[in-house]
Amino acid sequence: MARNQQPWATRTARDRSEAPARGRLLDAAETVFARRGYGPTTIAGITAEAEVSRAGFYVYFASKEEIFRVLAVRVRDAFLAAQDVPGVDRDDAREVVAASTAAFIAAYARHLPLLRLLEQQAQVDEDVRALWEETQERPVHRSARYIRRLAAEGRATPVADPLAVARAVGGMSIQFARLTAAAPESPETYDAAVRDVTAMFLHLLGVDPSGSGPRSSSATGASGPTGGPTRPGP
């Protein structure tokens, strides 16, 4: 440390991003935005919820707009993380589908109030619009890449183009997540949502849920966009 340099002057961007106070501010901001909506939310309301001083807020964020955008990034990353399924055998499509479906539905239900605000703000804020589109599209394209790999390895026979399957599954997952969010005191609703979406996902993949391997294309009617066997994308 340079002579006479104060200890806090060496705080790095990583220190700021990993600080507990920053996490409390983000959690508080999500709560307050969900409760009040975007317009009525204030920095004072966020700091009161987080029990952090107003000066403390400005250590980590420059404005209400910035913390909202950081929240948008956090939600996007939560959906991408839902597809990582640590501890699951990546070569077992049934396990991957079940685990990633459960994680995605849980993440969407948890963040649903903020997602609604993101969609609204995307209409008037270009930066938020870009984040909203990423939140919608990146998990879909990541799922499509996984489906293409399964098809290329002969471990799945998708009923349609992998991107179309990924979009269909994403839409189903969102609808069932909304049902889950509407019944927060009912774990049965969440369990049923995961079970049903998993079953439909496996069907669209042409994977036998019993674990005996992929169903044949003649049994599922699976074909690629030209009517031939499904092929991996570019």
Side-chain angles (χ1 to χ4, degrees), residues 11 13 15 17 33 36 45 53 57 60 82 84 91 103 109 117-118 121 123 126 129 157 181 207 210-212 221 228:
R11 177 176 287 172
D15 293 332
S17 67
F33 278 122
R36 299 182 182 176
S53 70
F57 177 94
Y60 306 102
D84 288 338
D91 292 327
L117 283 181
L118 281 173
Q121 286 302 113
Q123 307 305 311
E126 290 186 4
R129 184 183 306 123
T157 53
V207 172
S210 69
S212 58

Side-chain angles (χ1 to χ4, degrees), residues 13-213:
R14 180 176 178 181
D15 293 332
R16 290 194 297 271
S17 67
E18 294 180 351
R22 184 179 186 272
R24 290 202 307 275
L25 283 164
L26 283 168
D27 291 341
E30 184 163 358
T31 297
V32 177
F33 278 122
R35 183 192 304 146
R36 299 182 182 176
Y38 186 85
T41 292
T42 62
I43 291 174
I46 294 170
T47 56
E49 181 76 21
E51 297 183 346
V52 173
S53 70
R54 190 179 182 91
F57 177 94
Y58 288 111
V59 170
Y60 306 102
F61 306 102
S63 63
K64 181 178 81 170
E65 291 76 15
E66 181 182 356
I67 196 170
F68 187 79
R69 290 167 187 158
V70 173
L71 282 173
V73 171
R74 188 166 75 161
V75 170
R76 179 203 66 196
D77 291 347
F79 293 147
L80 292 175
Q83 296 173 315
D84 288 338
V85 290
V88 172
D89 181 359
R90 298 288 297 183
D91 292 327
D92 188 327
R94 288 159 294 277
E95 284 191 26
V96 171
V97 166
S100 61
T101 296
F104 185 94
I105 290 175
Y108 204 99
R110 174 189 171 193
H111 296 293
L112 182 57
L114 182 65
L115 286 164
R116 288 172 173 156
L117 283 181
L118 281 173
E119 187 172 14
Q120 293 171 9
Q121 286 302 113
Q123 307 305 311
V124 297
D125 185 318
E126 290 186 4
D127 291 334
V128 174
R129 184 183 306 123
L131 286 167
W132 172 248
E133 290 172 355
E134 263 198 291
T135 300
Q136 301 297 296
E137 290 297 312
R138 282 185 63 183
V140 167
H141 285 275
R142 190 171 178 182
S143 181
R145 288 194 296 272
Y146 179 68
I147 295 169
R148 289 188 185 103
R149 181 164 73 84
L150 290 177
E153 294 171 355
R155 294 190 288 117
T157 53
V159 301
D161 178 80
L163 183 58
V165 171
R167 289 196 187 284
V169 171
M172 289 190 299
S173 298
I174 289 169
Q175 292 303 317
F176 277 84
R178 288 172 176 164
L179 293 175
T180 297
E185 303 304 320
S186 174
E188 295 82 5
T189 301
Y190 169 73
D191 292 340
V194 172
R195 181 188 66 240
D196 292 341
V197 174
T198 296
M200 289 185 282
F201 195 166
L202 291 173
H203 176 74
L204 292 175
L205 284 179
V207 172
D208 188 338
S210 69
S212 58

